[in-house]
Short mmCIF file of all heavy atoms in Angstrom, two decimals:
data_model
loop_
_atom_site.label_atom_id
_atom_site.label_comp_id
_atom_site.label_asym_id
_atom_site.label_seq_id
_atom_site.Cartn_x
_atom_site.Cartn_y
_atom_site.Cartn_z
N ASN A 496 -22.59 -38.02 110.39
CA ASN A 496 -23.08 -38.87 111.49
C ASN A 496 -22.86 -38.30 112.87
O ASN A 496 -23.68 -38.40 113.85
CB ASN A 496 -22.62 -40.31 111.48
CG ASN A 496 -23.05 -41.05 110.11
OD1 ASN A 496 -24.01 -40.74 109.69
ND2 ASN A 496 -22.33 -41.99 109.73
N GLN A 497 -21.62 -37.72 113.06
CA GLN A 497 -21.30 -37.01 114.34
C GLN A 497 -22.26 -35.90 114.73
O GLN A 497 -22.66 -35.77 115.77
CB GLN A 497 -19.95 -36.48 114.26
CG GLN A 497 -18.76 -37.65 114.24
CD GLN A 497 -17.37 -37.07 113.98
OE1 GLN A 497 -17.21 -35.82 113.62
NE2 GLN A 497 -16.39 -37.93 114.02
N LEU A 498 -22.53 -35.16 113.62
CA LEU A 498 -23.51 -34.00 113.78
C LEU A 498 -24.93 -34.57 114.20
O LEU A 498 -25.63 -33.86 115.00
CB LEU A 498 -23.50 -33.19 112.60
CG LEU A 498 -22.33 -32.35 112.33
CD1 LEU A 498 -22.42 -31.50 111.06
CD2 LEU A 498 -21.93 -31.57 113.47
N HIS A 499 -25.31 -35.58 113.48
CA HIS A 499 -26.65 -36.19 113.82
C HIS A 499 -26.66 -36.56 115.34
O HIS A 499 -27.80 -36.35 115.98
CB HIS A 499 -26.93 -37.41 113.01
CG HIS A 499 -27.57 -37.21 111.63
ND1 HIS A 499 -28.80 -36.46 111.53
CD2 HIS A 499 -27.16 -37.36 110.32
CE1 HIS A 499 -29.08 -36.44 110.31
NE2 HIS A 499 -28.14 -36.90 109.38
N THR A 500 -25.71 -37.25 115.82
CA THR A 500 -25.56 -37.67 117.15
C THR A 500 -25.57 -36.50 118.07
O THR A 500 -26.18 -36.50 119.18
CB THR A 500 -24.20 -38.56 117.42
OG1 THR A 500 -24.30 -39.74 116.54
CG2 THR A 500 -24.13 -39.03 118.93
N LYS A 501 -24.86 -35.40 117.66
CA LYS A 501 -24.79 -34.15 118.56
C LYS A 501 -26.16 -33.66 118.73
O LYS A 501 -26.64 -33.21 119.78
CB LYS A 501 -23.95 -33.24 117.83
CG LYS A 501 -23.79 -31.99 118.72
CD LYS A 501 -22.68 -30.93 117.87
CE LYS A 501 -22.41 -29.78 118.72
NZ LYS A 501 -21.41 -28.82 118.05
N LEU A 502 -27.00 -33.57 117.61
CA LEU A 502 -28.32 -33.05 117.75
C LEU A 502 -29.18 -33.96 118.57
O LEU A 502 -30.00 -33.25 119.42
CB LEU A 502 -28.93 -32.82 116.31
CG LEU A 502 -28.52 -31.72 115.44
CD1 LEU A 502 -29.22 -31.71 114.14
CD2 LEU A 502 -28.92 -30.34 116.13
N GLU A 503 -28.96 -35.10 118.53
CA GLU A 503 -29.79 -36.11 119.39
C GLU A 503 -29.46 -35.86 120.86
O GLU A 503 -30.31 -35.76 121.77
CB GLU A 503 -29.52 -37.52 119.04
CG GLU A 503 -30.13 -37.96 117.70
CD GLU A 503 -29.58 -39.27 117.19
OE1 GLU A 503 -28.95 -40.02 118.08
OE2 GLU A 503 -29.90 -39.76 116.11
N ASN A 504 -28.10 -35.69 121.15
CA ASN A 504 -27.74 -35.44 122.54
C ASN A 504 -28.22 -34.13 123.05
O ASN A 504 -28.60 -33.91 124.23
CB ASN A 504 -26.19 -35.53 122.69
CG ASN A 504 -25.69 -36.97 122.50
OD1 ASN A 504 -26.31 -37.92 122.71
ND2 ASN A 504 -24.50 -37.07 122.09
N ILE A 505 -28.16 -33.02 122.17
CA ILE A 505 -28.66 -31.74 122.53
C ILE A 505 -30.22 -31.86 122.80
O ILE A 505 -30.69 -31.15 123.92
CB ILE A 505 -28.43 -30.77 121.33
CG1 ILE A 505 -26.97 -30.45 121.17
CG2 ILE A 505 -29.16 -29.42 121.65
CD1 ILE A 505 -26.62 -29.60 120.02
N GLY A 506 -30.90 -32.66 122.21
CA GLY A 506 -32.39 -32.79 122.44
C GLY A 506 -32.58 -33.45 123.84
O GLY A 506 -33.67 -33.06 124.42
N LYS A 507 -31.72 -34.20 124.25
CA LYS A 507 -31.81 -34.82 125.62
C LYS A 507 -31.27 -34.02 126.77
O LYS A 507 -31.87 -34.00 127.86
CB LYS A 507 -31.09 -36.24 125.57
CG LYS A 507 -31.57 -37.23 124.69
CD LYS A 507 -30.66 -38.47 124.67
CE LYS A 507 -31.05 -39.50 123.52
NZ LYS A 507 -30.06 -40.57 123.49
N PHE A 508 -30.34 -33.08 126.40
CA PHE A 508 -29.67 -32.35 127.50
C PHE A 508 -30.17 -30.90 127.50
O PHE A 508 -29.61 -30.05 126.99
CB PHE A 508 -28.14 -32.35 127.33
CG PHE A 508 -27.36 -31.98 128.49
CD1 PHE A 508 -27.08 -32.65 129.52
CD2 PHE A 508 -26.89 -30.67 128.47
CE1 PHE A 508 -26.53 -32.34 130.70
CE2 PHE A 508 -26.02 -30.17 129.53
CZ PHE A 508 -25.91 -30.97 130.59
#
Side-chain angles (χ1 to χ4, degrees):
N496 291 335
Q497 289 172 355
L498 292 181
H499 273 302
T500 302
K501 182 175 183 177
L502 280 178
E503 289 174 7
N504 289 338
I505 290 171
K507 298 173 185 175
F508 196 75

